[in-house]
Amino acid sequence: MRVLLFLLVINYASIHGQNTLQLVEEKQPAEASIALVSWLEGHWKGTAFGGVTEEIWSPIDDKSMMFIFRHLINGKVNFYEIGHIKEVDSSLVFELRHFDAKLHAWEEKNEVQQFKFIKHEGNRVYFDGFTFEKVSPNEINIYGLIGNKDGSESEVIFNYKKQ
């Protein structure tokens, strides 16, 4: 029994960050509507990675919300992201691409980073590796699992205030 409990704890720790979850491969994404994340709409600013972070989320249109992100260090663009959350097959998916300051894509030409919806609980919306949290109408947190050079992952928090 102790061995089984130990294995369950190890398995849980390996697929969960402090504030993020990861979708088990065999599990299908849960059902959800884009209205679930409508509170993301707006212009948000915060700090992370030693600089200023900024996200602008559009209103819902055609069952999707698009966003643009930029990271600045000492007033200079470090990188951008563009993406969306959209309804797909009665669920949600969070997708994005990264670009350097000259708009050269980090991903291959047709590659998109994709994070499937897991669940909604209280003021949080969980995607595979990302959590969107509504702290108040003027503050949000976005938690993300970021890959490290050694192959491990670290959870980072982006705390934003509405502009």
Side-chain angles (χ1 to χ4, degrees), residues 19-156:
N19 294 287
T20 53
L21 302 175
Q22 290 184 284
L23 190 65
V24 178
E25 283 186 37
E26 305 85 44
K27 190 165 173 141
Q28 292 297 311
E31 288 190 11
S33 161
I34 192 66
L36 187 60
V37 293
S38 63
W39 48 266
L40 282 170
E41 181 183 335
H43 184 182
W44 304 90
K45 277 193 175 181
T47 58
F49 304 128
V52 173
T53 54
E54 180 178 26
E55 290 198 18
I56 300 170
W57 284 86
S58 74
I60 295 171
D61 200 359
D62 193 26
K63 298 184 180 183
S64 72
M65 291 180 75
M66 69 173 179
F67 78 95
I68 187 141
F69 165 97
R70 75 175 167 180
H71 180 251
L72 299 132
I73 296 179
N74 298 323
K76 296 187 186 228
V77 173
N78 185 33
F79 71 96
Y80 296 100
E81 290 176 355
I82 187 170
H84 57 212
I85 295 176
K86 66 180 183 174
E87 283 187 38
V88 176
D89 299 327
S90 301
S91 188
L92 298 175
V93 65
F94 172 48
E95 296 178 317
L96 62 86
R97 287 191 55 143
H98 298 89
F99 300 88
D100 68 18
K102 294 182 179 180
L103 295 179
H104 298 128
W106 291 5
E107 290 85 10
E108 294 297 321
K109 183 177 179 179
N110 294 319
E111 183 184 355
V112 175
Q113 299 290 316
Q114 186 178 78
F115 310 93
K116 294 179 180 178
F117 177 73
I118 297 176
K119 69 177 183 173
H120 167 247
E121 189 173 270
N123 62 341
R124 290 181 170 198
V125 179
Y126 294 90
F127 289 86
D128 185 13
F130 278 90
T131 301
F132 294 82
E133 176 184 42
K134 182 180 181 180
V135 177
S136 75
N138 295 312
E139 183 179 4
I140 62 172
N141 290 323
I142 300 174
Y143 304 92
L145 290 179
I146 306 297
N148 299 316
K149 290 180 183 178
D150 66 2
S152 66
E153 291 181 326
S154 299
E155 186 179 271
V156 295

